[in-house]
Amino acid sequence: MPRFAANLSMLFTEVDFMDRFAAAADAGFSGVEYLFPYDFAAGDIKIELDNNKLEQVLFNLPAGDWAKGERGIACHPDRVEEFRAGVDTAIAYAKVLGNSQINCLAGIRPQGYDCATVEQTFVDNLKFAAEKLADAGIKLVMEMINTRDIPGFYLNTTAQALAIRDKVGSSNLYLQYDIYHMQIMEGDLARTVSGNLAVINHVQLADNPGRNEPGTGEINYRFMFEHLDRIGYQGWIGCEYKPATTTAAGLGWMKAHNAI
């Protein structure tokens, strides 16, 4: 049976961030993820994890100025030093929080650089991060994101991610497969996951259209959950969706699946 992690950047936003850990545990989650921990002391987050018996599953490397629309800096040739400093920051947090994987957001393709330079920057930064994280016992994942929600996002298909992974050449680099994003960009979800299971270390979900909870759109999540079990996926599934109404009201899909 899949293990579901509450994404605290999108779920339980009815309460302050530090109160979302207790809310997630009360709702039946045993793991949590979120965009970034860096606005809070790692020790304070660790207290919430421990008090609520939650596992820290995932967070992202520092990704630039999120409030100003930046969505990662890993492919930006003029931000390499900032990216690499962020890797050290993320490792320091993970050592306290206990997560065994960290996600890298490629970012929106920067203007003023040719395609080869942007790609090489991304490859070199991934090599650096994969090696540093490996030394710390942490896996690096990279996420493909649809270009409708984030126009110009650099990494946006499974095929591109696999090609980048080959160029990086690290056994410590994996894919984060977001079902919602990939339904928009390419479809063929079940076969893609099956064919690339060995390099998929994390899965996320939301339905389409709307990016709301499973059961509100076109994706057959009951089939996908059973498929992930059938092919032997052992990782977490991050619930990174926008509740159609309230978080609690939108959790019927999880209760129904857990009752099967």
Side-chain angles (χ1 to χ4, degrees):
M1 178 180 294
R3 295 177 295 163
F4 298 112
N7 187 296
L8 300 186
S9 297
M10 299 186 75
L11 302 186
F12 305 105
T13 58
E14 299 88 351
V15 298
D16 291 338
F17 179 77
M18 295 298 278
D19 295 325
R20 296 174 196 172
F21 295 85
D26 289 344
F29 288 99
S30 56
V32 294
E33 62 176 33
Y34 37 76
L35 286 172
F36 311 108
Y38 312 114
D39 287 341
F40 303 89
D44 291 344
I45 297 175
K46 178 63 172 171
I47 289 171
E48 293 302 319
L49 292 168
D50 291 346
N51 285 348
N52 293 288
K53 297 180 173 58
L54 291 168
E55 181 174 337
Q56 179 67 55
V57 174
L58 178 87
F59 56 75
N60 297 317
L61 292 172
D65 193 332
W66 199 264
K68 291 184 178 179
E70 293 186 330
R71 293 297 180 263
I73 57 173
C75 72
H76 289 229
D78 59 338
R79 309 283 287 277
V80 172
E81 289 187 10
E82 180 184 351
F83 174 84
R84 296 187 177 191
V87 172
D88 290 333
T89 299
I91 290 172
Y93 268 81
K95 285 182 176 179
V96 175
L97 302 180
N99 48 303
S100 61
Q101 58 181 348
I102 295 174
N103 183 43
C104 176
L105 294 170
I108 297 169
R109 189 188 188 285
Q111 300 299 308
Y113 299 95
D114 60 57
C115 293
T117 299
V118 172
E119 181 182 87
Q120 192 60 52
T121 299
F122 188 40
V123 167
D124 289 345
N125 277 335
L126 288 171
K127 284 181 180 178
F128 175 86
E131 181 176 345
K132 292 277 285 189
L133 266 63
D135 290 343
I138 302 167
K139 293 178 179 178
L140 177 65
V141 296
M142 56 178 169
E143 181 179 11
M144 305 80 72
I145 293 180
N146 82 77
T147 54
R148 185 174 68 197
D149 288 356
I150 306 181
F153 194 82
Y154 181 67
L155 188 67
N156 50 65
T157 68
T158 303
Q160 181 193 9
L162 293 172
I164 290 289
R165 186 176 186 272
D166 285 345
K167 291 180 180 181
V168 172
S170 172
S171 61
N172 195 45
L173 177 60
Y174 298 84
L175 274 58
Q176 175 173 305
Y177 190 87
D178 188 307
I179 294 171
Y180 163 76
H181 289 306
M182 292 301 94
Q183 170 69 359
I184 292 171
M185 293 303 295
E186 59 193 30
D188 204 15
L189 303 171
R191 187 167 61 173
T192 301
V193 171
S194 297
N196 298 288
L197 183 64
V199 297
I200 293 174
N201 206 64
H202 190 59
V203 171
Q204 290 181 324
L205 63 76
D207 219 328
N208 182 63
R211 203 176 186 179
N212 303 129
E213 58 265 26
T216 59
E218 66 189 1
I219 301 173
N220 186 343
Y221 268 108
R222 180 167 183 175
F223 170 83
M224 284 301 299
F225 296 152
E226 292 173 349
H227 179 69
L228 288 167
D229 277 345
R230 187 163 51 249
I231 64 176
Y233 175 69
Q234 298 296 312
W236 289 85
I237 300 178
C239 301
E240 192 184 44
Y241 62 81
K242 299 179 294 184
T245 55
T246 66
T247 303
L251 289 175
W253 67 270
M254 188 173 75
K255 295 174 183 176
H257 181 75
N258 288 342
I260 294 174

